[in-house]
Amino acid sequence: MTQLKSRTAAGPYTASICLEWSTTTCQTRHRFQVVPWGLVNTPHLRPRADLILFGGRVITLDGAARVAEAVAVEGERIAAVGASGDIRGLADRSTRLIDLRGRALVPGLVDAHAHMDREGLKALYPSLAGARSIDDVLQRIEPLVRAAAPGDWIVTMPVGDPPYYFDVPGNLAEGRYPTRHDLDRVAPRNPVYIRSIWGYWRHTLPLVSIANSEALRRAGITRATAAPWPGVEIEKDGRGEPTGVFIEQTYVPVVELSLMAAAPRFSHADRLRGLRESMRIYTATGTTSVFEGHGIADEVRGVYEEAAGRNELTVRAHLALSPSWGDADAAGRVARLAEWAPRIAGRGTGDAWLRVAGLVAEADPTPDSAVRARAMPYTGWAGFAYDAALPRADLAAVHLAAARQNIRVLSIGAGLLDLYEDVNRVVPIRDRRWVIEHVGILTADEVARIRDLGVVVTTHTNRYVFKEGAAFRSRLGREAEDTITPLRRLRDAGVTVALGTDNVPTSLFHPVWQAVARVARTTNEVIAPGQRLSRAEALRAATLGGAYLTFEEDVKGTIEAGKLADLVVLSDDPLTCAETGLRDITADLTIVGGRIVHERAQA
């Protein structure tokens, strides 16, 4: 290791040059690091740049919270960060120069609970967004019937407006859903099915889907058909005949996997096409990495692996396994863990673009999940296994066996914190970064216990602050409102927090805004103002926090020489824009591994 020290107008710097000789490749590899903004003045020691972004506000989010002007990229890595004049000196005739024109540049965002594969699937079926009456709905369906062959299925997205599908059917003039007879007016011979929402988009019940007469006939549904689960109602008219309306008291659809299983489902080709569209949408908002903390079923993992094999990934993906336990007994579950361990233990398998590691734990299987599991390996909107849940006693044994095989465990909410503690008494997990996803209500005692276990947490501010914050505060009382997604308390305790979208909406700048503003949708009041984060803290949770979640804080999450060149040029400056403007920030330019994957057309 050779170290050069000098001084420029930007201040003193140290350049470290590492020369490594490989006996297998017979090549010398050079690694350059410039700290903080200087450059090596000896020409033959200068890093070259394939890409230079200059003339902006480079919000590095590094430990010193430095703001620079320019970044040089060589290959897939950041070569240097500093003043525009110095960094432009690294250019040669092949370097691409991008003038930021004062815009903000931040590290690529890491969505810590993304469900990214789901987003592109929404574009596969025709939308009914904007329909304000049953006639509007029929006018959307009629041309689909004309374009279809006789007898072909017609499947649409749900009634209502994405992404949340609030206020249905009140958004329709009639105040009700269309029935089979309404749909039959425009589709007498084609089966028509209007899907229900994925309930966690809206977080209110019920879910409703609708079939016309031909769809009911294809599905074999008559007045004698029984509901597959007590939480499903097959609506009947005054004569006892099905109206075509299905009502579900659950957030995860059952009907489309059971009663309406005859309707077309997402195919492998659909999922692959959907993933491509998903990545386009996520990179357009500055997300360059996703963490799938709810776990991924085999059918979705296969899609990611195919896309990676084709070099089509434009978003880095870290996937956890959603286990399908089936009817395995205790010994069978331990055997499956041993079978999965070579793939998911420790840091798992894969590379910087696609990695599979860790196991998602779910407790307390329910009868409705058993109905859904009959559709496995198909998972519908979910993308995760429907038979992943186990009784708590069985899950405790799985946790301990996983820890013994160095398999990281993830769970949703703090309900399994005591099981984590039980494992820790036998096999220490302090440095293994076990995860609690979607933190909602956490007491000061729970925060302390999370800290003591070294657990990493991911948020669901879109639900617990924005959509339902006012309801939670009403339920808990103002004296306990600081337990609602207590970001300040978690940060002050030293717990690493990573922000997640849960796919709705897809932009991480909504959770950034929610972490800073903490405004409830229904009342426009601030929920637990003492738990606010600063803008810089929220940005770090959306970048470095996500990198820490995947053990990658040394290679991404900040803008520093040597790290991966995952960079985003923003439409507005998140440190200085109006607070309400935070949620509207988009990406003008998104770079992943030194490659431009999104470039917004300029007006």
Side-chain angles (χ1 to χ4, degrees):
M1 175 74 73
T2 301
Q3 202 171 74
L4 298 175
K5 295 185 178 181
S6 185
R7 175 176 296 273
T8 69
Y13 67 84
T14 300
S16 301
I17 307 164
C18 178
L19 305 180
E20 298 178 336
W21 177 261
S22 168
T23 57
T24 55
T25 61
C26 296
Q27 292 179 344
T28 303
R29 294 191 288 119
H30 306 266
R31 184 172 67 251
F32 299 90
Q33 184 182 33
V34 180
V35 184
W37 314 122
L39 300 171
V40 179
N41 291 322
T42 308
H44 72 280
L45 294 180
R46 286 173 173 267
R48 66 168 299 278
D50 299 306
L51 172 67
I52 289 176
L53 302 103
F54 67 94
R57 272 176 47 83
V58 179
I59 303 169
T60 68
L61 298 178
D62 67 4
R66 288 177 285 200
V67 176
E69 295 175 343
V71 176
V73 175
E74 181 182 7
E76 65 176 13
R77 300 271 176 170
I78 297 169
V81 183
S84 291
D86 291 337
I87 298 300
R88 291 192 68 176
L90 299 177
D92 59 25
R93 278 183 281 185
S94 65
T95 302
R96 178 174 179 179
L97 297 171
I98 296 178
D99 188 349
L100 297 175
R101 302 190 308 278
R103 290 173 294 177
L105 178 72
V106 299
L109 275 58
V110 182
D111 191 333
H113 198 108
H115 293 293
M116 182 176 71
D117 63 287
R118 189 180 295 159
E119 184 62 24
L121 296 176
K122 299 172 187 176
L124 298 179
Y125 294 120
S127 172
L128 301 179
R132 293 295 177 261
S133 67
I134 290 174
D135 277 348
D136 285 351
V137 172
L138 300 184
Q139 287 173 23
R140 301 290 181 87
I141 292 174
E142 189 172 20
L144 302 175
V145 175
R146 287 198 301 266
D152 280 358
W153 276 90
I154 295 163
V155 181
T156 75
M157 287 295 285
V159 174
D161 297 335
Y164 300 114
Y165 295 87
F166 287 136
D167 306 322
V168 289
N171 63 320
L172 300 181
E174 298 82 357
R176 67 169 178 86
Y177 288 96
T179 66
R180 65 189 289 185
H181 304 296
D182 294 316
L183 298 178
D184 289 348
R185 286 161 44 195
V186 295
R189 289 178 293 277
N190 288 78
V192 175
Y193 184 50
I194 299 175
R195 303 185 68 147
S196 73
I197 68 166
W198 177 259
Y200 294 106
W201 297 342
R202 188 174 64 222
H203 281 100
T204 58
L205 296 175
L207 311 187
V208 174
S209 58
I210 309 132
N212 74 342
S213 296
E214 179 61 15
L216 293 177
R217 188 188 71 79
R218 297 274 188 101
I221 296 172
T222 69
R223 63 187 297 152
T225 301
W229 168 65
V232 169
E233 177 190 353
I234 305 172
E235 187 181 79
K236 306 286 181 66
D237 62 19
R239 297 172 298 154
E241 294 294 331
T243 67
V245 176
F246 303 98
I247 301 169
E248 306 184 55
Q249 299 298 332
T250 176
Y251 289 114
V252 179
V254 172
V255 169
E256 68 179 51
L257 301 173
S258 55
L259 293 172
M260 290 303 299
R265 298 178 169 190
F266 300 128
S267 67
H268 178 81
D270 287 340
R271 290 193 183 278
L272 188 59
R273 186 164 67 252
L275 181 60
R276 295 188 190 108
E277 175 66 6
S278 292
M279 292 187 291
R280 184 192 67 78
I281 292 168
Y282 276 70
T283 56
T285 60
T287 295
T288 58
S289 296
V290 296
F291 180 73
E292 296 300 356
H294 203 132
I296 290 292
D298 284 345
E299 66 168 341
V300 178
R301 178 179 55 82
V303 170
Y304 270 100
E305 289 175 346
E306 182 171 341
R310 295 180 176 186
N311 294 318
E312 291 180 350
L313 292 183
T314 56
V315 177
R316 304 184 193 276
H318 192 292
L319 315 179
L321 175 67
S322 177
S324 176
W325 296 115
D327 58 359
D329 59 12
R333 289 189 288 270
V334 172
R336 287 191 185 178
L337 280 175
E339 177 186 340
W340 294 331
R343 186 175 68 195
I344 66 171
R347 305 293 172 84
T349 52
D351 56 23
W353 282 99
L354 177 62
R355 183 163 294 276
V356 180
L359 178 85
V360 176
E362 297 187 47
D364 303 322
T366 59
D368 52 320
S369 287
V371 175
R372 297 183 196 97
R374 295 172 197 156
M376 295 281 290
Y378 180 71
T379 62
W381 284 116
F384 51 76
Y386 290 122
D387 56 353
L390 295 171
R392 286 181 70 88
D394 295 338
L395 191 58
V398 166
H399 277 186
L400 184 57
R404 284 174 169 153
Q405 298 187 61
N406 194 26
I407 296 173
R408 182 163 73 150
V409 173
L410 309 86
S411 63
I412 306 296
L416 301 183
L417 183 56
D418 60 327
L419 297 189
Y420 282 26
E421 291 171 324
D422 290 343
V423 169
N424 188 59
R425 293 183 187 100
V426 181
V427 180
I429 63 171
R430 181 71 179 80
D431 297 321
R432 301 191 184 186
R433 301 186 192 179
W434 283 27
V435 182
I436 293 178
E437 299 275 337
H438 273 4
V439 293
I441 310 302
L442 286 178
T443 65
D445 174 68
E446 287 171 326
V447 169
R449 292 160 63 196
I450 286 169
R451 174 203 62 210
D452 292 345
L453 289 170
V455 165
V456 185
V457 302
T458 74
T459 65
H460 193 357
T461 54
N462 191 48
R463 177 185 183 183
Y464 290 98
V465 175
F466 178 62
K467 283 190 285 188
E468 295 188 82
F472 281 117
R473 185 172 66 184
S474 177
R475 188 182 314 161
L476 295 167
R478 287 185 178 270
E479 67 279 4
E481 73 172 311
D482 276 345
T483 64
I484 302 171
T485 314
L487 298 179
R488 170 57 54 198
R489 183 175 287 163
L490 285 161
R491 179 175 172 80
D492 289 350
V495 176
T496 297
V497 176
L499 299 186
T501 64
D502 202 40
N503 177 243
V504 176
T506 55
S507 171
L508 261 176
F509 280 102
H510 280 256
V512 167
W513 168 70
Q514 290 152 7
V516 171
R518 298 188 65 98
V519 173
R521 179 185 79 93
T522 54
T523 64
N524 209 36
E525 295 177 286
V526 176
I527 304 300
Q531 299 305 316
R532 283 169 155 165
L533 295 182
S534 71
R535 297 184 187 210
E537 289 168 338
L539 280 173
R540 284 175 68 85
T543 53
L544 191 58
Y548 183 89
L549 179 67
T550 57
F551 296 91
E552 294 176 293
E553 69 273 19
D554 59 331
V555 295
K556 64 185 183 184
T558 62
I559 299 178
E560 298 179 83
K563 286 196 169 185
L564 290 167
D566 296 356
L567 306 165
V568 186
V569 181
L570 299 177
S571 61
D572 207 342
D573 190 326
L575 298 184
T576 61
C577 70
E579 186 174 85
T580 55
L582 279 169
R583 60 187 170 185
D584 300 321
I585 291 175
T586 60
D588 285 349
L589 188 74
T590 304
I591 298 166
V592 185
R595 178 163 58 103
I596 295 173
V597 297
H598 163 76
E599 191 164 6
R600 186 162 68 102
Q602 298 299 308

